[in-house]
Amino acid sequence: MPKVTLSSNNALVIPPDLLAHLGIGPGGVVSVELEAGGALVLRGAGDASRCAAPPKEAVESPAPVRSHPKDDGATLKEAIARKNLQTRMQFIKGVGPKLTELLEKRGVATVEDALYLLPHRYEDRRELTPVARLKPGFSAVFSGKVLSADIAATKGGRRFFEALVADDSGSITLKWFNANPTFMKRVWKAGRTGVFVGEVTQFGFQREVHHPDVEWLAEGKDIQDILDADPVNFGRIVPVYPLTEGLSQKVMRRVMKEVVDGFLGSLQELIPTPILKPLLLPGLRQSVRELHLPPPEAGLDDLNQGRTPAHRAIAFDEFFFWELGLALKKRGVTLEEGIAFQVTHRYTKQLAKMLPFELTGAQRRVLSEIKADMMAPHPMHRLVQGDVGSGKTLVALMAALIAVENGYQVAIMAPTEILAEQHWHTIHRFCKELGVETALITAGMKGKAKSEAMGRVASGSAQIVIGTHAVIQDKVEFARLGLGVIDEQHRFGVLQRGILKKKGANPDILVMTATPIPRTLAMTLFGDLSLSVIDELPPGRTPVETRIAFESRRPQVYAAIREEVRQGRQAYVIYPLVEESEKSDLKAASQMAEHLSQAVFPDLRIGLLHGRMAPDEKEAVMGAFKARELDVLVSTTVIEVGIDVPNATVMVIEHAERFGLSQLHQLRGRVGRGSARSRCILLTAGKFSDDGEKRLRVMESTNDGFRIAEADLEIRGPGDFLGIRQSGMPDFRVANILRDGGILEQARQAAFGLLEQDPELSAVGHGPLKEELLRRWGQRLELALIG
Ligand code: ADP
Ligand code: MG
């Protein structure tokens, strides 16, 4: 007999099998009564409000349950509801061990996961389609009588099973390619009537359905009986779920209906009604139900495009919590104590005098925004966005000098070694004249050089430290870090920002990106940062002329390079780097360099740059190119970010169709940096996908980074746009920042507005909201402390 025990906090712990014996499921409600003789009587179910709170251990399923540290404040009902959402799928009716495993593979471990695994598409099965009206490309339900059925073979000798089915309106062929013929012959007999489900395809002039599902008509019944017997799969708009191998739509629909019917009530409506009401959005429960089990009057197109009110409501819910998290984070930063820098102009004025040009208006404006932040007694968290070549480096250097004027150190972090080295060169050149000490720290540095540099950082004698992510490694210690600059933020995760921040005592943080992030995306990704935009290029830049060239025009492309070189200019030839086979790309680039220098331009000086080269080799090549000791630089995409050689006026991109749009734009930004007319030639064999062609056409049509980013976002979707893992893009289930931009805006306003009224979310009724926020995004946004 299993034993009931008393836990340390005086909770009665009832073993699972005893609970099962009492018919009390996990997360179930137990009523307890003390009888005269001192016996405790347990009963399952009953009215929740009447019973005492079930001790945690007593009702927990044996499987792990996500913990909710702040349960105590919640009402009993909420606590129970929470638990129910965490119910494991194995406790759902009809879900055995095997199905549990399959569902888990699909990411569905709990009832909550299931409720949010939304269909990715819907099929209209409200009515039977007459056979004559079956349309290729659509899935349909139709009924009919089998006219004939037999084994057949293709011209190539491949055997398949074929049946001809007809109703009053016409006939259609059904085919199976891997079926057992003996079995098929027994089942598919001429004269049988059934209901069929499948996708209609076009084969020559003939419409066919391959591998249809079938429900046979039993004797004495009619078609309507079949439909009525399975209301989950017939007579309605049915959901189509993302599956995993071994899992069928039929099973999935049944399980989902079970979950929706049984657990929908456990979903809590957390967003305050005054926020939802004016937006005319349905509640969360209704929305989730309608997406799993669309009502008969729902619009099929709207459902399939994710544009129903239910979709919008869930998108709003997702955006709202994310934006609320960002708002809370932003508020947290503004409350923190930071360094109040003073602007003495000691170095900045001097630097301005040393420059051969004036700052652009946009640079000056952004700089004054940065200054205001730096002077404030709270840490700066600012994002500077500016197209390639807009002069972000200089802005960063100015900000760095302000910190140095105040006796603080600065860390400048770049995504690649080449870029870090280039920044170092630019900055070091000015700093030497100013009498400011710099240090370079990269992952490629070894031994003495590195320990010497690190020593100078730790002692504080290095005032501006430039490097790759090596700068934020554990071993690097700053004496007095006052400002951290992250260049090309999209290459770094959100985490890096946090680590850099911890290298000092609440230093200011400046983030720079050349990816002109569309507004909706910036709001989602960097909503906790203040934004400055350098929306002006230095004068005298002419837009880069861009042309697509097919392989047949290669001689003319080479002639163009030769012409530029003849005029004293330089050229880039870029090769794609496909991740899976870095080696073969390397070969492609080095073979190309070889080929160009021997066969095509024997009289020109050709250099090669790729990611596998040692840092000093790379630097030597880059240095030679900058010093005009090379005419043509053949490179992989290591050249992509930030490299600055104004005398280079032509860029040829090989296999241009293989590159992403933003990447092409970044690459192209390497030319057109001086006042001379520059060209970018996109070489392609012409065998590209629709998207590939679209990308190249966009490149031809515009130099505007924002338009390119928007087009890129549209072609690729937000996940790929920045590389989802690196970018810190939150993984919304329904919300789509492209489609739902308007909703995002509303959610942002609502979230920031709410926080203005109730900065700590401490008002009555906001407790559960805060709890849910911490549960969803607490870790991700490092909000836990605000608790
Ligand atoms: P990015 O914003 O892409 O990082 P950089 O900071 O590398 O751009 O600047 C690109 C080039 O423009 C550099 O050669 C830089 O010296 C030059 N530059 C920066 N600001 C100005 C300016 N105000 N006028 C003219 N040239 C400038
Ligand atoms: Mg740059």
Side-chain angles (χ1 to χ4, degrees):
M1 185 68 187
K3 270 209 182 113
V4 176
T5 53
L6 196 63
S7 80
S8 56
N9 57 347
N10 290 339
L12 281 181
V13 181
I14 303 167
D17 31 358
L18 199 56
L19 279 174
H21 174 77
L22 292 168
I24 301 166
V29 179
V30 188
S31 79
V32 185
E33 270 177 62
L34 183 63
E35 291 212 320
L40 279 177
V41 180
L42 303 184
R43 280 192 199 90
D47 180 358
S49 60
R50 247 191 24 225
C51 3
K56 226 175 170 193
E57 293 87 333
V59 288
E60 260 180 18
S61 61
V65 172
R66 258 193 258 173
S67 67
H68 298 285
K70 292 233 163 48
D71 266 356
D72 29 355
T75 67
L76 173 63
K77 263 194 175 148
E78 279 166 354
I80 292 164
R82 254 310 145 61
K83 289 219 167 72
N84 279 349
L85 280 183
Q86 298 314 320
T87 301
R88 315 287 300 182
M89 289 304 285
Q90 75 224 50
F91 297 109
I92 302 302
K93 199 175 127 205
V95 179
K98 196 151 164 246
L99 191 48
T100 304
E101 211 174 286
L102 285 172
L103 286 167
E104 247 171 59
K105 245 197 203 156
R106 184 62 254 185
V108 179
T110 65
V111 160
E112 186 180 22
D113 297 334
L115 287 175
Y116 280 105
L117 183 78
L118 297 174
H120 54 99
R121 165 169 95 69
Y122 295 84
E123 282 176 19
D124 192 349
R125 294 196 187 169
R126 282 175 289 199
E127 287 167 16
L128 294 177
T129 310
V131 168
R133 295 228 310 266
L134 292 173
K135 259 200 298 204
F138 290 86
S139 173
V141 188
F142 54 100
S143 70
K145 194 182 251 177
V146 179
L147 298 184
S148 64
D150 209 345
I151 298 162
T154 62
K155 278 192 199 123
R158 189 171 164 219
R159 282 152 61 92
F160 59 92
F161 192 85
E162 185 178 58
L164 190 65
V165 163
D167 68 359
D168 295 343
S169 71
S171 66
I172 190 161
T173 304
L174 316 181
K175 280 183 183 173
W176 293 259
F177 292 99
N178 294 311
N180 172 342
T182 332
F183 170 77
M184 291 302 283
K185 273 188 136 162
R186 213 174 324 130
V187 175
W188 288 80
K189 288 219 174 82
R192 275 191 105 175
T193 297
V195 171
F196 312 95
V197 184
E199 192 172 322
V200 184
T201 56
Q202 183 87 37
F203 185 75
F205 292 111
Q206 182 170 296
R207 291 168 309 153
E208 301 184 344
V209 178
H210 297 172
H211 306 228
D213 283 340
V214 59
E215 301 285 339
W216 294 112
L217 188 64
E219 222 165 299
K221 300 272 181 182
D222 63 30
I223 296 288
Q224 196 54 45
D225 294 329
I226 296 183
L227 304 184
D228 292 346
D230 187 358
V232 175
N233 286 296
F234 295 121
R236 63 182 317 145
I237 293 180
V238 296
V240 180
Y241 290 98
L243 297 175
T244 185
E245 203 181 319
L247 203 56
S248 74
Q249 291 295 348
K250 246 179 152 168
V251 169
M252 200 68 172
R253 280 182 204 131
R254 182 175 55 69
V255 172
M256 286 301 197
K257 182 161 188 321
E258 198 67 42
V259 171
V260 171
D261 287 347
F263 290 86
L264 198 67
S266 312
L267 277 180
Q268 297 182 76
E269 305 278 0
L270 289 168
I271 301 182
T273 324
I275 290 182
L276 281 183
K277 216 166 173 190
L279 300 173
L280 304 175
L281 292 173
L284 189 62
R285 282 178 204 163
Q286 187 189 338
S287 302
V288 170
R289 163 173 276 281
E290 287 188 9
L291 293 190
H292 287 290
L293 305 164
E297 72 279 5
L300 188 69
D301 289 343
D302 283 349
L303 276 170
N304 276 328
Q305 288 163 20
R307 291 181 196 277
T308 62
H311 280 105
R312 290 213 308 275
I314 295 179
F316 183 86
D317 180 274
E318 292 189 295
F319 283 146
F320 179 79
F321 277 99
W322 175 249
E323 292 293 337
L324 193 60
L326 292 179
L328 209 55
K329 192 169 169 83
K330 189 163 181 178
R331 199 189 127 76
V333 171
T334 53
L335 287 181
E336 277 172 34
E337 252 180 64
I339 308 159
F341 291 101
Q342 279 164 19
V343 178
T344 67
H345 295 299
R346 183 172 152 212
Y347 294 124
T348 44
K349 273 246 163 75
Q350 233 179 307
L351 174 64
K353 272 192 218 137
M354 285 156 60
L355 294 173
F357 47 69
E358 301 263 303
L359 292 185
T360 63
Q363 280 172 318
R364 272 203 304 266
R365 192 191 64 238
V366 169
L367 207 52
S368 68
E369 287 164 2
I370 293 173
K371 273 183 197 161
D373 277 6
M374 289 184 75
M375 290 165 77
H378 307 294
M380 164 169 76
H381 270 199
R382 184 168 287 277
L383 173 69
V384 173
Q385 196 177 309
D387 209 346
V388 281
S390 61
K392 292 184 294 294
T393 316
L394 201 59
V395 170
L397 179 56
M398 287 283 191
L401 291 174
I402 295 173
V404 172
E405 283 167 8
N406 284 264
Y408 282 92
Q409 287 175 295
V410 180
I412 300 180
M413 208 160 92
T416 63
E417 301 217 342
I418 293 198
L419 199 57
E421 283 154 21
Q422 178 182 285
H423 277 331
W424 183 76
H425 275 295
T426 313
I427 290 170
H428 178 68
R429 207 180 61 218
F430 290 122
C431 285
K432 217 163 60 188
E433 271 186 64
L434 295 168
V436 171
E437 286 284 320
T438 61
L440 175 67
I441 293 187
T442 65
M445 265 166 82
K446 287 183 209 70
K448 243 179 97 189
K450 191 161 193 174
S451 54
E452 187 263 346
M454 275 166 55
R456 290 197 301 124
V457 177
S459 74
S461 74
Q463 293 160 291
I464 300 183
V465 183
I466 299 153
T468 55
H469 59 274
V471 163
I472 53 166
Q473 270 166 5
D474 288 348
K475 284 174 286 178
V476 184
E477 273 175 42
F478 287 82
R480 214 164 120 83
L481 183 65
L483 169 69
V485 179
I486 302 180
D487 195 12
E488 309 296 350
Q489 153 81 21
H490 69 285
R491 296 295 193 88
F492 291 110
V494 209
L495 271 184
Q496 268 93 341
R497 236 198 279 161
I499 303 175
L500 184 57
K501 210 168 143 65
K502 291 194 184 97
K503 289 277 170 192
N506 274 346
D508 282 358
I509 299 287
L510 188 62
V511 167
M512 304 197 295
T513 179
T515 309
I517 301 166
R519 188 179 151 68
T520 45
L521 189 55
M523 239 157 46
T524 346
L525 280 179
F526 307 120
D528 58 328
L529 303 180
S530 315
L531 180 67
S532 292
V533 183
I534 308 185
D535 51 5
E536 181 186 351
L537 292 179
R541 302 269 168 89
T542 45
V544 181
E545 244 175 63
T546 305
R547 288 280 166 272
I548 299 171
F550 292 99
E551 198 50 45
S552 56
R553 312 230 351 132
R554 189 173 278 278
Q556 285 88 335
V557 172
Y558 287 152
I561 293 180
R562 186 171 283 286
E563 176 56 23
E564 292 296 321
V565 173
R566 198 186 58 77
Q567 294 181 23
R569 309 287 182 196
Q570 291 161 282
Y572 292 108
V573 178
I574 308 295
Y575 259 86
L577 189 118
V578 182
E579 259 162 61
E580 307 94 89
S581 61
E582 214 181 321
K583 259 194 192 145
S584 71
D585 286 318
L586 203 63
K587 212 168 106 200
S590 46
Q591 273 176 355
M592 190 61 185
E594 185 94 11
H595 173 71
L596 289 180
S597 68
Q598 285 179 2
V600 187
F601 304 121
D603 51 329
L604 303 188
R605 299 160 300 174
I606 314 280
L608 171 66
L609 190 70
H610 59 71
R612 290 270 184 102
M613 284 159 67
D616 46 346
E617 274 181 281
K618 275 188 270 186
E619 195 178 311
V621 174
M622 272 315 300
F625 191 63
K626 273 192 179 179
R628 302 195 188 184
E629 288 158 17
L630 294 171
D631 300 309
V632 180
L633 184 61
V634 178
S635 172
T636 60
T637 48
V638 293
I639 202 87
E640 182 186 341
V641 229
I643 296 295
D644 187 31
V645 180
N647 191 50
T649 51
V650 57
M651 169 173 283
V652 175
I653 302 179
E654 299 264 0
H655 299 292
E657 77 284 353
R658 288 202 209 159
F659 292 90
L661 199 40
S662 294
Q663 205 179 12
L664 286 172
H665 180 63
Q666 290 279 334
L667 285 167
R668 179 171 61 180
R670 299 314 102 216
V671 290
R673 300 176 79 83
S675 51
R677 157 181 175 269
S678 293
R679 280 196 279 182
C680 176
I681 302 171
L682 306 169
L683 253 178
T684 174
K687 280 182 249 154
F688 36 51
S689 61
D690 285 356
D691 283 356
E693 171 156 11
K694 245 189 243 164
R695 287 196 295 267
L696 300 190
R697 297 286 168 212
V698 172
M699 286 296 291
E700 261 191 337
S701 69
T702 181
N703 270 279
D704 180 339
F706 273 92
R707 282 191 48 204
I708 288 176
E710 239 141 28
D712 197 19
L713 191 58
E714 226 163 84
I715 295 173
R716 285 202 284 168
D720 285 347
F721 177 74
L722 294 171
I724 203 149
R725 258 204 345 256
Q726 300 171 350
S727 68
M729 183 74 196
D731 30 12
F732 300 124
R733 304 183 214 226
V734 171
N736 173 324
I737 59 161
L738 290 180
R739 185 189 62 207
D740 305 325
I743 302 173
L744 173 62
E745 190 89 45
Q746 288 173 335
R748 183 173 175 85
Q749 274 170 20
F752 276 72
L754 180 70
L755 215 60
E756 223 158 80
Q757 287 168 21
D758 181 12
E760 315 258 290
L761 291 180
S762 53
V764 182
H766 288 171
L769 198 63
K770 186 165 163 183
E771 202 180 302
E772 179 67 9
L773 170 63
L774 290 179
R775 189 173 80 92
R776 288 200 207 174
W777 299 115
Q779 244 188 340
R780 171 70 166 281
L781 292 173
E782 297 184 319
L783 290 176
L785 295 179
I786 303 163

